[in-house]
Amino acid sequence: MTAQRPSHRPADFLAAHRGGGLATLLDQRGAAHFAYAAWRMGLKPTHISFVNLFLGLGTSAAVIAYIPAAKDGAPWWPVAIAALVLWQVAYMLDCADGQLARVTRTGSDAGARVDILCDIAIQASVVAVVVAVADAYTPEVPAWAGAAFAALWMTNLVTAVMAKEDDGVSMVKSTSIVVRLIKLVRDYGFIIVVIALALIWPGLMWLVLVGFGAVNALFLLASIASNARASLR
């Protein structure tokens, strides 16, 4: 007699999320339904990771490919809305693979590495969008600013991985208003909303580049100071 398959609901997957900023918490709700659908179809977490990868990279590539047409007068708003929706769906899928792994206990070290590597690839493509649009519409912005933005973006990924390895402990434990605002702005779910909406006014993309670069620089310095203080106690 075969063992009966356990029953799950979307709420079970939502309960397995690992938190995040306000925007990410909203995305986790959509992710729970994707995780539930994947479970019903018998998919594994890595299958979701690959769909996320295809969708995220494809969206970024399409936006970059559209720049010449937009420079010739084609409107940005349809592309901006499409990018907003598709990047958000991709991020929900990124959250869903972890939910599926935890609820069904089908996760593995290799699968976790695939998840992280897919995140790196997608976020690198989003960085490329910001730099490409800013360069196309505001060439007077120095090249080092784009390079610094791309380098500092890695702060998001590195601190996220370090937090996961330390049971989700934040790199900066302060609860001050300033730190909370910085953490909100660094929420990936929030970031991709801002980037997608900035496509409607591409001439302002340089503000996204400079603004998020500065926020990530501040968070990096705060993380170094916070952890150094803890290590010297």
Side-chain angles (χ1 to χ4, degrees):
M1 182 177 178
T2 59
Q4 185 176 4
R5 190 185 186 194
S7 176
H8 294 298
R9 299 172 301 161
D12 299 325
F13 295 94
L14 179 59
H17 74 77
R18 282 191 166 179
L22 178 60
T24 291
L25 289 175
L26 294 174
D27 285 319
Q28 294 281 10
R29 294 185 174 276
H33 292 278
F34 283 122
Y36 175 71
W39 169 73
R40 291 289 302 269
M41 291 187 287
L43 299 179
K44 291 186 176 181
T46 298
H47 293 136
I48 303 179
S49 297
F50 280 130
V51 177
N52 165 37
L53 179 66
F54 174 80
L55 193 59
L57 290 181
T59 300
S60 297
V63 171
I64 292 173
Y66 186 76
I67 292 175
K71 292 281 287 183
D72 286 339
W76 265 112
W77 68 265
V79 174
I81 293 174
L84 173 62
V85 172
L86 294 174
W87 274 334
Q88 285 292 336
V89 171
Y91 186 43
M92 289 180 193
L93 291 170
D94 179 35
C95 298
D97 57 12
Q99 293 181 8
L100 180 65
R102 287 187 286 277
V103 171
T104 62
R105 300 183 184 278
T106 54
S108 65
D109 290 341
R113 288 192 292 270
V114 169
D115 181 26
I116 292 172
L117 292 170
C118 287
D119 290 346
I120 293 172
I122 294 168
Q123 292 195 31
S125 75
V126 173
V127 168
V129 167
V130 174
V131 174
V133 173
D135 181 66
Y137 285 86
T138 50
E140 62 272 19
V141 174
W144 64 260
F149 167 76
L152 289 166
W153 183 284
M154 295 306 295
T155 304
N156 280 337
L157 289 168
V158 172
T159 55
V161 171
M162 291 172 70
K164 283 182 180 179
E165 292 178 347
D166 198 18
D167 296 326
V169 175
S170 174
M171 292 292 102
V172 180
K173 297 180 176 62
S174 172
T175 57
S176 69
I177 296 298
V178 173
V179 171
R180 288 189 178 190
L181 285 174
I182 290 176
K183 287 183 177 181
L184 171 63
V185 173
R186 291 183 67 252
D187 182 350
Y188 182 68
F190 175 78
I191 292 172
I192 52 179
V193 169
V194 173
I195 292 173
L197 293 179
L199 290 173
I200 300 176
W201 303 280
L204 299 179
M205 188 63 81
W206 71 272
L207 290 175
V208 175
L209 186 148
V210 173
F212 280 127
V215 167
N216 281 327
L218 289 173
F219 189 82
L220 177 60
L221 292 174
S223 297
I224 292 171
S226 177
N227 287 278
R229 187 189 315 160
S231 71
L232 294 173
R233 285 177 182 170

